């Protein structure tokens, strides 16, 4: 990147950071990104329902179009650190670095402005990644425009700053939020036998989770208790309702589904035996994300051409990512750019996107776009 363009996207990143928005509420963020592109490029901007894409048309396309994706949403976490561009929205901040991802995609737009690609390039600005709902909304563009491959990146601590990190095949697992609710009947705490208290059933469910995880699986399978609520806590009332919240995570979506089915079947048996009425809800569903070999090879080859240091990731990154919705439709790859070996972890109050890795992301995107 040239210095002027780098300064522009750093300023944009700081502006986005100052005005974070939660998943599904990114109206202001999207408008700031559109304004930046209109003022600094001649790319065509197309609005969709809650998201948009920009496109650089190739004069005489030599191959199917290529796409790049950035997520734009923030998290319900206080800023926590003193920044000159700190969040102006209490309780909301960019603690996953999506402000940096969006700025990098705008950096690619600036690079495309002064180059002529051999194939049409689409830039997808996607909402709601944090809840697994955004990519599913945007993925139809792949078929609509006949896009042949798609790329994305994520910043990641624990690796040397500016190093491109990648994993072949499965790179991030599937996950979902499972809420199990058990309805019983309240009674006076002095006469619990006159009510139906779900506490024991909830406790049995928690223990059953541990039992399920000891069974053999083809790959990693996790089930994390994220919340338990039974009754109101009033000392005069025997609880009549209970809720258990779990995050299910697995290398394969099929194994996650099997885990979910086992939990719900056990819940049904407990409820029937205890006189309880069960219900459940699924939220924040993420598919498994798998890199296609041919696209990952292009990422590695481009890094080598640009003399960007790169290394393979030995273990999958356990955090989920909705980029997998795209790679179910067409070949693609997501790679990571190291923020620093001792950099603050994502989703913590101490974290802020590392501006120094922006050139790495933009240069690699541009190299792929111009290939």
């Amino acid at each position: 990147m040239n210095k002027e363009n780098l300064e522009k996207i750093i300023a944009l990143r700081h502006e986005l950071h100052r005005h974070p928005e939660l998943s599904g509420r990114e109206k202001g963020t999207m408008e700031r990104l559109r304004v930046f592109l209109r003022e600094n490029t001649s790319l065509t901007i197309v609005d969709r329902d809650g998201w948009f894409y920009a496109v650089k048309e190739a004069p005489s396309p030599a191959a199917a179009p290529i796409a790049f994706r950035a997520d734009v949403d923030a998290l319900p976490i206080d800023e926590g650190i003193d920044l000159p561009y700190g969040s102006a929205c209490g309780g909301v901040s960019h603690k996953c670095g999506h402000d940096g991802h969006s700025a990098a995609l705008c950096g690619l737009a600036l690079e495309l402005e002064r180059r002529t690609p051999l194939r049409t390039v689409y830039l997808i600005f996607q909402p709601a990644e944090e809840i697994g709902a955004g990519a599913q909304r945007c993925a139809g563009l792949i078929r609509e425009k006949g896009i042949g491959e798609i790329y994305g990146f994520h910043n990641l601590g624990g690796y040397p700053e500016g190093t491109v990190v990648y994993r072949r095949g499965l790179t991030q697992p599937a996950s979902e939020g499972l809420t199990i609710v058990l309805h019983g009947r309240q009674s006076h705490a002095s006469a619990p036998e006159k009510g139906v208290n779900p506490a024991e059933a909830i406790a049995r469910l928690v223990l059953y989770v541990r039992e399920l995880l000891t069974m053999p699986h083809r790959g990693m399978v996790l089930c994390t208790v994220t919340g338990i609520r039974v009754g109101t806590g009033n000392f005069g009332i025997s609880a009549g309702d209970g809720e258990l919240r779990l995050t299910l995570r697995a290398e394969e979506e099929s194994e996650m589904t099997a885990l979910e089915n086992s939990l719900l079947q056990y819940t049904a048996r407990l409820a029937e035996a205890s006189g309880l009425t069960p219900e459940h809800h699924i939220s924040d569903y993420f598919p498994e994300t798998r890199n296609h070999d041919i696209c990952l090879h292009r990422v590695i080859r481009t890094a080598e051409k640009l003399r960007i240091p790169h290394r393979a990731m030995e273990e999958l990154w356990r955090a989920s990512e909705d980029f997998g919705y795209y790679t179910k439709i067409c070949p693609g790859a997501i790679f990571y750019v190291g923020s620093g070996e001792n950099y603050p972890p994502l989703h913590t109050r101490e974290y802020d996107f590392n501006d120094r890795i922006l050139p790495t992301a933009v240069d690699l995107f541009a190299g792929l776009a111009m290939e």
Side-chain angles (χ1 to χ4, degrees):
M1 294 191 70
N2 65 47
K3 183 179 179 181
E4 181 183 359
N5 283 351
L6 178 58
E7 289 175 352
K8 283 182 179 180
I9 65 169
I10 289 176
L12 171 64
R13 206 279 290 181
H14 293 180
E15 181 183 358
L16 295 175
H17 191 95
R18 191 186 304 276
H19 303 283
E21 293 173 302
L22 295 174
S23 303
R25 307 177 190 176
E26 306 97 336
K27 185 177 180 180
T29 301
M30 294 293 187
E31 181 57 22
R32 287 183 172 86
L33 291 166
R34 284 191 293 263
V35 168
F36 180 91
L37 293 173
R38 290 192 190 107
E39 291 180 348
N40 293 280
T41 78
S42 60
L43 272 63
T44 301
I45 298 171
V46 180
D47 285 325
R48 292 293 173 92
D49 182 20
W51 62 282
F52 75 93
Y53 67 87
V55 58
K56 172 81 171 188
E57 298 281 354
S60 301
I66 184 173
F68 298 86
R69 178 276 246 165
D71 35 20
V72 311
D73 50 334
L75 286 162
I77 301 175
D78 283 322
E79 183 69 80
I81 51 178
D82 185 19
L83 297 170
Y85 49 86
S87 171
C89 305
V92 182
S93 60
H94 274 290
K95 294 300 177 180
C96 201
H98 294 184
D99 51 345
H101 301 169
S102 298
L105 199 56
C106 286
L108 172 58
L110 296 178
E111 292 299 306
L112 292 173
E113 188 65 14
R114 59 193 186 94
R115 306 189 194 191
T116 302
L118 297 177
R119 50 185 167 165
T120 297
V121 183
Y122 287 89
L123 312 183
I124 300 171
F125 291 88
Q126 178 208 303
E129 188 281 329
E130 293 291 352
I131 60 174
Q136 196 171 21
R137 291 169 59 186
C138 303
L141 187 71
I142 303 296
R143 290 194 180 96
E144 178 186 334
K145 302 299 182 181
I147 292 168
E149 55 193 280
I150 185 167
Y151 297 90
F153 94 97
H154 207 295
N155 67 102
L156 191 59
Y159 294 94
E161 183 179 284
T163 296
V164 170
V165 183
Y166 61 89
R167 193 168 194 269
R168 299 187 186 279
L170 178 72
T171 188
Q172 292 182 247
S175 72
E176 68 178 22
L178 173 62
T179 301
I180 297 173
V181 181
L182 293 173
H183 299 287
R185 186 173 65 254
Q186 282 186 351
S187 67
H188 197 286
S190 66
E193 71 280 3
K194 293 183 179 180
V196 181
N197 192 319
E200 183 177 340
I202 294 287
R204 287 181 180 274
L205 267 171
V206 172
L207 294 175
Y208 185 61
V209 166
R210 183 171 60 182
E211 183 180 331
L212 284 175
L213 295 180
T214 62
M215 296 179 180
H217 298 96
R218 292 186 297 275
M220 180 206 73
V221 173
L222 295 174
C223 185
T224 306
V225 176
T226 60
I228 299 175
R229 179 191 61 78
V230 180
T232 65
N234 187 297
F235 293 113
I237 302 172
S238 177
D241 292 292
E243 178 182 279
L244 175 63
R245 292 192 169 203
L246 305 162
T247 297
L248 280 55
R249 197 177 303 273
E251 291 189 19
E252 298 180 17
E253 289 169 65
S254 59
E255 289 209 301
M256 185 173 73
T257 300
L259 179 63
E260 174 196 314
N261 289 337
S262 296
L263 284 165
L264 295 180
Q265 290 167 9
Y266 187 69
T267 298
R269 295 197 297 272
L270 281 175
E272 184 177 5
S274 306
L276 297 161
T277 302
E279 64 174 285
H280 74 278
H281 312 284
I282 303 294
S283 56
D284 293 14
Y285 185 94
F286 292 83
E288 60 196 65
T289 294
R290 293 183 179 273
N291 284 332
H292 292 253
D293 284 344
I294 188 170
C295 294
L296 191 59
H297 175 69
R298 288 175 179 164
V299 169
I300 297 168
R301 184 174 63 194
T302 302
E304 289 172 345
K305 285 181 180 178
L306 297 173
R307 298 184 179 180
I308 298 172
H310 56 88
R311 60 188 285 185
M313 179 187 289
E314 294 182 6
E315 300 292 334
L316 64 83
W317 184 21
R318 287 187 179 183
S320 297
E321 162 65 66
D322 70 358
F323 190 79
Y325 280 116
Y326 299 109
T327 53
K328 286 178 181 290
I329 300 174
C330 79
I334 187 169
F335 59 90
Y336 314 96
V337 179
S339 298
E341 292 176 287
N342 299 307
Y343 207 77
L346 299 165
H347 290 221
T348 65
R349 288 162 59 92
E350 295 75 24
Y351 169 85
D352 180 39
F353 184 88
N354 185 347
D355 288 330
R356 293 186 298 274
I357 71 172
L358 281 170
T360 300
V362 174
D363 288 348
L364 194 51
F365 272 176
L368 289 164
M370 298 303 298
E371 188 176 45

